């Protein structure tokens, strides 16, 4: 009883004060009022990722920001021995602000304890659930920063050039997962504070009068702030910590032990901010309806809608109470653009439709994949031409503008026709709608955003013509996505992304509450949209999967890697879906920016993505395309990889290398129906194991093949041809193949292309024809495996034809123009020519008279 009495006394003392003077922030006084829009509706906070403001600012009582006084001996203009003096300045300023932040967290925790004590009495101020919602993760955040402060303080007090603090910042950054949980709960916490304040006058006084201790050397012992303002502090703090890391790196020599640790801490912080800012945007605001209701924009973006059997590009806006689908009106030059509403659904009436509960599914128009690939090649060629025009410096901007316009049209076509994953929504009182997305990650984001809003007590609404007009007109100002994500809409200064191969090892995942059948998929962005590139095995009945699987992912201007973690569905009743319907449950998802400076290293870069309490550990490293495809002869001639095909066939006394025959046989036995066979990446560690087995002629190779994932076997076959010391179609004949495929006359082309085959050495010719017939058999199953002749030519063409001699004078290939060059297009066309040709027999080739007698 004594404890409850004491708690009640603390509550009364908290309620009794009502002064307000909020100016205790270590950087700037940004109370909750700053986050109100003009109509009084609250907006979500934005975490600033850019190092545009100095983290060394303090705030004077008059509100003006000033720099902290430097320690004696480090005044500007004085004798600063090196940049480590500035580093101490930055740390001193940050330490002072950290003290203020800890005081703010303490102040927030102060009312929590007595509130908890009274929650179990007959007259509780708040319920236990409400208390846990409002103060969620505050205790954890406080403990993290108190430990950090206590460790950093003595280092600043005993400063010299040998002091290291990088490990402290690295540890702080590694604990950002707590902030993710706080941010996810932030909006609910604010809503709970508001509801409880309205329902309980005692709590209202507590929430409006929280006492915060001032710094030790401050004249003002305490200040009074609102609970709402204090709840914003952790969100603001992440940005400030990241800004400090920028400044610390500026003033830390590269050879100092701190540099690498601070760099790693900054990378973790930036990746965290990037993932958080997908949910928190600075331009979110609200529009007021004629009835005075505040309607806030939560999310918007461009989606492809299936309308009357055809694809339409729409701009979709998710508000706090409804989903609105609009299209841009055609307007005269010089006039402001406007949206036209196609339809809207109140969230109270919106459900997610599956094929099981839909009477009829609209036909989804899907183009053959080779048409998509051809358009990518055309876009890349135009990019190449634009780069050449810029380098020429002729000042003919009209040519570049014309090329940009053409590229914009082609990229827009690609964005319209490439998505295939259906996202179905349904109005309980009306019709259903279908969008097509390229990424399950994106579909999950839309679904989760809608479901989060639907947890509130929403009422169905019908907008009048005037209300709908006002809302649609406001979309132009409210939108956060202004242009479709095409290259031609980017500034020249923006990063063009990475071109080459990203090697990713998915190690493990932790944080699952119960055992399940788990796997991960990897997505990267390419040509403005995300595509799934790899998938781990399903790890059955576990809460701690250990995959340790490596993948090689081709990057085409990629800037981001996404990882999705799924629970596999084995319920047969749910598996009868169309080809692109994904029925497995997403357990978590996250993404990481592909920073060229970080990933372009010979060493593996270890990272962790946090998603809904789940942590996925992975490693990655990047190889530019020229290095990855460079043909390097093997030093050991006893193996098969990197050894001339004539040497291998002579040793084996065979016409076709054993590795080629066995891989083809296994693929045709159990992989010919596999979706994306030869296109989907196999696990790199499995491929390397098979490579070693074939190189050493392991006796149990057949057992290994029968047990191995089929994509790994397909990958081993591709790797064998890629690592030949010279291409299968030979270096000597390469120029002639390029000339032959460019011939316009069909008869001349036929004569030339057949003569070139006859000119190949026998092991090369027989192996090529064996592979050719195999790929044709794979393409016969295109309706099932989705691999057309063109797809297979795209995969194998450069592998079979790319010359072994690289032009060492060229810089590393990192531009799109270098990847999809005219040569690569021609290599694809050469193989496609033979794949589309009627069956070719060696006997017939040898019998035919040579009409084409030009030396090759």
């Amino acid at each position: 009883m004594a404890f409850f009495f004491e708690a009640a006394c603390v509550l009364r003392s908290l309620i009794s004060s009502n002064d307000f003077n909020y100016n205790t922030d270590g950087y700037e006084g940004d109370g909750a009022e700053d986050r109100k829009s003009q109509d009084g509706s609250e907006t979500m906070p934005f975490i600033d990722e850019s190092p545009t403001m100095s983290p060394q600012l303090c705030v004077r009582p008059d509100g003006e920001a000033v720099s902290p006084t430097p320690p004696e001996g480090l005044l500007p203009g004085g004798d600063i021995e090196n940049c480590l003096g500035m580093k101490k300045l930055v740390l001193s300023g940050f330490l002072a602000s950290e003290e203020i932040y800890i005081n703010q967290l303490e102040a927030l925790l102060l009312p929590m304890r007595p509130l908890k004590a009274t929650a179990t009495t007959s007259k509780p101020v708040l319920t236990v659930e409400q208390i846990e919602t409002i103060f969620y993760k505050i205790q954890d955040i406080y403990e993290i920063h108190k430990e950090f402060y206590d460790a950093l303080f003595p280092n600043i007090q005993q400063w010299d050039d040998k002091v290291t603090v990088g490990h402290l910042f690295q540890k702080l950054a590694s604990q950002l997962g707590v902030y993710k949980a706080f941010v996810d709960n932030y909006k609910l916490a604010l809503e709970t504070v508001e509801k409880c304040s309205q329902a309980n006058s005692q709590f209202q006084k507590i929430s409006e009068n929280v006492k915060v201790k001032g710094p030790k050397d401050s004249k003002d012992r305490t200040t009074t702030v609102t609970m709402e303002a204090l709840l914003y502090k952790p969100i603001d703090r992440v940005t400030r910590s990241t800004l400090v890391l920028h400044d610390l790196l500026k003033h830390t020599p590269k050879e100092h032990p701190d540099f690498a640790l601070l760099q790693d801490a900054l990378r973790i912080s930036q990746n965290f901010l990037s993932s958080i800012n997908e949910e928190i945007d600075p331009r979110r605001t609200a529009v007021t309806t004629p009835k005075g209701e505040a309607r806030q924009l939560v999310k918007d973006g461009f989606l492809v809608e299936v309308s009357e059997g055809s694809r339409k590009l729409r701009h979709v806006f998710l508000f706090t109470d409804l989903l609105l689908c609009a299209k841009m009106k055609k307007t005269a030059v010089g006039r402001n653009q406007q949206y036209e509403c196609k339809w809207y659904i109140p969230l109270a009436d919106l459900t997610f439709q599956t094929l099981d509960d839909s009477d009829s599914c609209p036909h989804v128009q899907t183009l053959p994949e080779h048409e998509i690939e051809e358009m990518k090649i055309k876009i890349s060629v135009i990019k190449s031409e634009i780069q050449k025009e810029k380098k020429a410096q002729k000042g003919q901007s009209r040519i570049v503008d014309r090329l940009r316009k053409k590229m914009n049209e082609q990229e827009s076509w690609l964005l319209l026709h490439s998505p295939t994953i259906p996202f179905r929504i349904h109005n309980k009182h009306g019709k259903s709608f279908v969008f097509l997305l390229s990424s399950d990650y994106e579909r999950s984001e839309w679904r989760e955003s809608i479901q989060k809003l639907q947890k509130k007590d929403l009422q169905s609404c019908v907008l009048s013509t005037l209300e709908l007009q006002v809302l649609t007109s406001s979309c132009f100002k409210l939108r956060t996505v202004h242009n479709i994500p095409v290259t031609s809409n980017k500034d020249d200064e923006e990063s063009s992304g990475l071109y080459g191969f990203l090697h990713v090892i998915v190690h493990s995942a932790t944080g699952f509450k119960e055992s399940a059948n788990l796997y991960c998929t990897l997505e990267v962005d390419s040509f403005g949209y995300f595509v799934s590139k790899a998938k781990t095995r399903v790890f059955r009945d576990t809460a701690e999967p250990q995959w340790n699987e490596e993948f090689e992912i081709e990057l085409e201007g990629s800037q981001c890697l996404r990882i999705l973690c799924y629970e596999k569905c084995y319920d047969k009743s749910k598996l009868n879906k169309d080809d692109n319907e994904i029925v497995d449950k997403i357990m978590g998802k996250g993404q990481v920016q592909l920073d060229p400076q970080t990933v372009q290293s010979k060493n593996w870069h270890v990272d962790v993505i946090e998603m809904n309490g789940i942590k996925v550990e992975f490693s990655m490293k990047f190889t530019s395309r020229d290095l990855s495809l460079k043909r390097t002869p093997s030093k050991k001639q006893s193996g098969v990889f990197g050894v001339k095909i004539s040497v291998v066939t002579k040793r084996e006394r065979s016409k076709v290398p054993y590795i080629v025959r066995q891989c083809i046989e296994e693929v045709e036995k159990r992989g010919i129906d596999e979706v994306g066979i030869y296109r989907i990446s196999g696990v790199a560690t499995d491929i390397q194991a098979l490579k070693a087995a074939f190189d050493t002629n392991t006796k149990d190779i057949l057992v290994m093949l029968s047990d191995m994932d089929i994509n790994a076997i397909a990958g081993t076959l591709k790797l064998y041809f890629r690592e030949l010391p010279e291409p299968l179609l030979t270096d000597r004949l390469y120029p002639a193949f390029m000339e032959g495929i460019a011939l316009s006359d069909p008869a001349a082309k036929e004569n030339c292309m057949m003569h070139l085959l006859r000119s190949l050495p026998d092991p090369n010719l027989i192996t090529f024809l064996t592979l050719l017939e195999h790929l044709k058999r794979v393409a016969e199953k295109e309706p099932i495996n989705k691999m057309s002749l063109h797809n297979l030519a795209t995969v194998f063409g450069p592998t079979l034809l790319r010359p072994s001699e690289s032009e060492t004078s060229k810089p590393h290939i990192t531009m799109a123009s270098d990847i999809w060059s005219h040569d690569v297009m021609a290599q694809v066309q050469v193989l496609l020519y033979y794949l589309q040709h009627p069956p070719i027999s060696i006997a017939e080739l040898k019998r035919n008279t040579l009409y084409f007698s030009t030396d090759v």
Side-chain angles (χ1 to χ4, degrees):
M1 291 297 292
F3 176 74
F4 291 123
F5 176 77
E6 184 183 343
C9 291
V10 175
L11 278 175
R12 278 197 296 272
S13 67
L14 289 168
I15 293 166
S16 62
S17 67
N18 55 14
D19 54 313
F20 182 87
N21 178 22
Y22 178 46
N23 207 358
T24 60
D25 215 344
Y27 296 104
E28 54 200 34
D30 48 356
E33 297 304 314
D34 298 331
R35 303 191 307 281
K36 299 281 185 180
S37 58
Q38 290 181 352
D39 61 0
S41 60
E42 185 174 313
T43 63
M44 281 290 284
F46 172 66
I47 297 183
D48 192 353
E49 298 176 63
S50 57
T52 52
M53 62 181 85
S54 169
Q56 303 174 47
L57 296 179
C58 295
V59 180
R60 292 206 306 244
D62 59 5
E64 185 178 346
V66 295
S67 297
T69 306
E72 191 175 350
L74 291 172
L75 289 168
D79 183 23
I80 301 176
E81 291 183 358
N82 50 45
C83 60
L84 289 173
M86 282 301 296
K87 181 179 176 181
K88 184 183 179 184
L89 271 178
V90 175
L91 286 169
S92 299
F94 184 64
L95 191 69
S97 70
E98 190 74 359
E99 182 189 351
I100 293 170
Y101 179 49
I102 290 169
N103 288 345
Q104 291 167 343
L105 293 173
E106 277 184 338
L108 203 50
L109 289 170
L110 183 63
M112 181 186 76
R113 298 180 185 105
L115 284 169
K116 272 189 174 180
T118 60
T120 54
T121 64
S122 58
K123 293 184 178 179
V125 178
L126 299 180
T127 65
V128 173
E129 185 182 356
Q130 288 168 335
I131 294 167
E132 288 177 351
T133 301
I134 293 170
F135 300 99
Y136 185 65
K137 294 295 180 183
I138 298 296
Q139 183 70 45
D140 293 344
I141 293 172
Y142 170 77
E143 289 171 2
I144 287 169
H145 283 268
K146 187 70 170 67
E147 182 185 350
F148 172 77
Y149 179 88
D150 290 343
L152 183 62
F153 184 80
N155 284 298
I156 306 300
Q157 293 296 308
Q158 303 166 11
W159 181 263
D160 61 40
D161 58 359
K162 295 179 182 177
V163 168
T164 58
V165 296
H167 61 290
L168 300 177
F169 281 92
Q170 189 184 45
K171 183 178 180 181
L172 186 66
S174 70
Q175 296 170 311
L176 283 173
V178 177
Y179 276 91
K180 176 69 169 73
F182 175 85
V183 170
D184 288 344
N185 181 71
Y186 172 74
K187 198 171 181 183
L188 182 59
L190 290 186
E191 289 171 355
T192 307
V193 169
E194 187 177 350
K195 285 180 182 177
C196 292
S197 295
Q198 292 172 355
N200 189 301
S201 59
Q202 278 185 301
F203 180 72
Q204 182 180 13
K205 290 179 181 178
I206 293 171
S207 66
E208 290 177 355
N209 302 280
V210 182
K211 296 283 188 180
V212 181
K213 286 191 299 184
K216 292 173 185 175
D217 55 352
S218 171
K219 293 179 181 177
D220 298 323
R221 289 295 174 191
T222 60
T223 53
T224 307
V225 296
T226 65
M227 189 174 289
E228 185 182 356
L230 288 179
L231 284 171
Y232 178 71
K233 295 307 169 187
I235 288 185
D236 184 54
R237 193 63 188 172
V238 184
T239 302
R240 300 299 188 262
S241 300
T242 307
L243 296 176
V244 167
L245 287 168
H246 276 285
D247 277 2
L248 287 175
L249 277 169
K250 284 180 194 173
H251 303 301
T252 301
K254 288 189 177 180
E255 62 275 9
H256 193 280
D258 267 351
F259 189 83
L261 296 171
L262 292 171
Q263 206 171 35
D264 191 49
L266 178 61
R267 175 190 56 77
I268 295 170
S269 299
Q270 286 178 326
N271 288 339
F272 174 77
L273 289 178
S274 178
S275 65
I276 292 298
N277 281 340
E278 287 183 351
E279 304 167 18
I280 300 174
D281 195 284
R283 289 165 290 193
R284 287 184 183 175
T285 185
V287 59
T288 305
T289 66
K291 293 181 180 179
E293 299 167 342
R295 180 174 285 123
Q296 185 181 340
L297 177 65
V298 176
K299 181 180 177 65
D300 70 300
F302 288 95
L303 298 180
V304 174
E305 184 188 10
V306 180
S307 177
E308 298 177 353
S310 61
R311 295 169 178 250
K312 305 288 184 183
L313 191 63
R314 306 296 196 205
H315 200 147
V316 181
F317 297 85
L318 175 62
F319 290 94
T320 43
D321 63 338
L322 60 84
L323 185 74
L324 186 145
C325 179
K327 77 165 191 175
M328 189 69 77
K329 281 184 180 179
K330 290 183 179 179
T331 54
V333 178
R335 294 192 63 183
N336 290 333
Q337 290 180 309
Q338 290 182 323
Y339 283 107
E340 173 190 334
C341 176
K342 300 303 294 180
W343 51 264
Y344 74 91
I345 304 177
L347 296 189
D349 300 332
L350 187 149
T351 60
F352 295 105
Q353 190 180 33
T354 63
L355 284 179
D356 291 336
D357 50 40
S358 62
D359 295 328
S360 61
C361 175
H363 174 68
V364 178
Q365 178 190 12
T366 305
L367 289 178
E369 194 169 327
H370 71 83
E371 290 189 28
I372 301 291
E373 294 300 324
E374 285 172 355
M375 183 57 74
K376 288 182 181 180
I377 293 172
K378 289 178 183 177
I379 292 167
S380 298
V381 169
I382 292 179
K383 286 181 182 178
S384 175
E385 291 174 1
I386 290 173
Q387 293 298 325
K388 287 175 184 175
E389 285 295 330
K390 287 181 178 179
K391 288 176 183 176
Q393 294 182 340
K394 296 175 182 177
Q396 297 182 14
S397 60
R398 269 190 285 178
I399 296 175
V400 174
D401 290 343
R402 192 185 75 246
L403 289 170
R404 279 188 180 278
K405 184 179 178 183
K406 187 176 180 182
M407 186 169 73
N408 184 283
E409 292 171 356
Q410 293 180 343
E411 288 187 312
S412 299
W413 182 93
L414 190 64
L415 286 174
L416 188 64
H417 290 91
S418 56
T420 58
I421 299 175
F423 177 44
R424 298 178 173 84
I425 56 174
H426 177 66
N427 187 338
K428 287 191 289 190
H429 306 296
K431 61 183 292 189
S432 301
F433 303 92
V434 178
F435 293 107
L436 297 178
L437 290 77
S438 63
S439 159
D440 200 26
Y441 189 105
E442 186 182 1
R443 179 171 69 169
S444 174
E445 283 187 322
W446 279 99
R447 188 190 296 268
E448 287 171 7
S449 296
I450 292 170
Q451 288 174 333
K452 193 172 182 180
L453 293 169
Q454 287 179 325
K455 289 179 180 178
K456 300 177 184 178
D457 184 21
L458 296 173
Q459 301 296 319
S460 184
C461 62
V462 177
L463 301 184
S464 67
T465 305
L466 176 61
E467 287 175 315
L468 186 58
Q469 185 179 351
V470 170
L471 183 61
T472 308
S473 299
S474 71
C475 287
F476 188 78
K477 285 185 178 180
L478 297 179
R479 61 182 179 167
T480 64
V481 182
H482 291 262
N483 298 302
I484 58 174
V486 295
T487 309
S488 46
N489 284 336
K490 291 184 178 180
D491 297 331
D492 291 339
E493 292 76 19
E494 287 188 59
S495 170
S496 58
L498 292 170
Y499 292 86
F501 293 90
L502 184 70
H503 300 264
V504 181
I505 301 175
V506 182
H507 295 294
S508 60
T510 57
F512 296 99
K513 294 179 180 178
E514 55 188 36
S515 295
N517 303 311
L518 305 166
Y519 70 93
C520 286
T521 62
L522 309 180
E523 295 181 354
V524 294
D525 53 323
S526 171
F527 293 89
Y529 60 96
F530 279 83
V531 287
S532 183
K533 286 285 191 175
K535 175 184 172 182
T536 68
R537 291 189 188 92
V538 178
F539 217 100
R540 294 201 175 212
D541 195 25
T542 181
E544 294 186 353
Q546 300 279 335
W547 292 289
N548 293 312
E549 295 180 25
E550 182 183 340
F551 302 92
E552 181 183 78
I553 298 172
E554 185 172 5
L555 304 183
E556 299 168 299
S558 307
Q559 296 178 315
C560 190
L561 169 70
R562 288 174 170 175
I563 297 183
L564 296 93
C565 193
Y566 290 88
E567 179 182 359
K568 182 70 179 174
C569 173
Y570 288 109
D571 184 349
K572 292 183 179 179
S573 66
K574 295 182 179 180
L575 296 180
N576 298 322
K577 303 284 182 178
D578 64 5
D579 294 330
N580 299 307
E581 190 77 1
I582 300 168
V583 296
D584 298 338
K585 179 184 176 183
I586 294 181
M587 304 297 288
K589 64 187 190 307
Q591 64 181 18
V592 60
Q593 293 299 122
L594 296 176
D595 178 16
Q597 293 181 342
T598 303
V599 297
Q600 283 181 313
S601 167
K602 293 180 181 178
N603 300 321
W604 286 95
H605 177 75
V606 183
D607 208 337
V608 174
I609 285 183
E610 297 201 17
M611 44 178 87
N612 300 344
I614 300 165
K615 291 183 180 180
V616 175
E617 184 181 344
F618 65 100
S619 302
M620 59 182 175
K621 67 177 179 178
F622 172 76
T623 309
S624 61
R625 192 178 175 90
D626 58 336
L627 292 176
S628 181
L629 293 183
K630 188 176 180 180
R631 299 182 186 274
T632 307
S634 174
K635 293 178 181 178
K636 295 181 180 179
Q637 292 297 299
S638 59
V640 294
F641 282 82
V643 179
K644 286 186 178 180
I645 195 168
S646 57
V647 173
V648 173
T649 51
K650 185 176 181 180
R651 187 205 308 143
E652 295 177 351
R653 297 180 182 178
S654 62
K655 294 180 179 180
V656 178
Y658 178 70
I659 182 175
V660 175
R661 287 182 280 124
Q662 288 306 128
C663 288
I664 285 176
E665 182 181 326
E666 199 64 34
V667 169
E668 293 194 0
K669 187 189 297 181
R670 59 188 180 91
I672 205 159
D673 291 338
E674 186 79 12
V675 175
I677 188 71
Y678 289 120
R679 180 174 57 80
I680 299 293
S681 299
V683 177
T685 43
D686 288 350
I687 294 171
Q688 291 303 315
L690 284 171
K691 177 184 176 181
F694 277 112
D695 267 340
T696 56
N697 197 21
T698 305
K699 291 180 181 179
D700 58 354
I701 186 68
L702 293 178
V703 177
M704 284 185 69
L705 284 171
S706 62
D707 291 342
M708 200 66 76
D709 176 64
I710 199 64
N711 287 316
I713 295 170
T716 303
L717 183 62
K718 288 189 293 180
L719 183 66
Y720 169 72
F721 286 118
R722 198 165 82 193
E723 290 195 357
L724 284 173
E726 77 162 346
L728 187 65
L729 299 189
T730 73
D731 287 326
R732 181 177 68 88
L733 295 177
Y734 181 74
F737 276 114
M738 295 299 99
E739 291 173 12
I741 199 65
L743 292 173
S744 301
D745 179 62
K749 182 183 284 189
E750 164 83 7
N751 213 358
C752 175
M753 299 300 278
M754 291 303 109
H755 171 65
L756 290 172
L757 283 188
R758 283 190 292 270
S759 303
L760 287 169
D762 279 355
N764 299 61
L765 174 61
I766 298 171
T767 301
F768 177 69
L769 293 180
T770 302
L771 178 66
L772 206 62
E773 292 309 306
H774 165 64
L775 295 179
K776 287 182 180 180
R777 288 191 290 272
V778 171
E780 286 173 3
K781 297 281 189 174
E782 182 190 353
I784 301 171
N785 62 33
K786 309 300 179 187
M787 293 301 291
S788 64
L789 289 175
H790 196 287
N791 291 342
L792 293 164
T794 302
V795 170
F796 277 94
T799 301
L800 301 178
L801 281 127
R802 183 181 173 88
S804 57
E805 291 183 8
S806 59
E807 298 177 52
T808 54
S809 59
K810 284 187 177 181
H812 285 330
I813 298 173
T814 54
M815 295 297 294
S817 56
D818 298 314
I819 296 232
W820 282 109
S821 62
H822 289 281
D823 271 6
V824 173
M825 290 176 64
Q827 291 160 12
V828 172
Q829 290 302 318
V830 167
L831 181 55
L832 186 61
Y833 179 85
Y834 290 120
L835 285 170
Q836 292 174 336
H837 197 279
I840 304 165
S841 73
I842 297 172
E844 189 180 343
L845 272 176
K846 298 295 184 184
R847 280 200 307 270
N848 281 354
T849 307
L850 281 180
Y851 295 108
F852 190 88
S853 57
T854 306
D855 289 339
V856 294

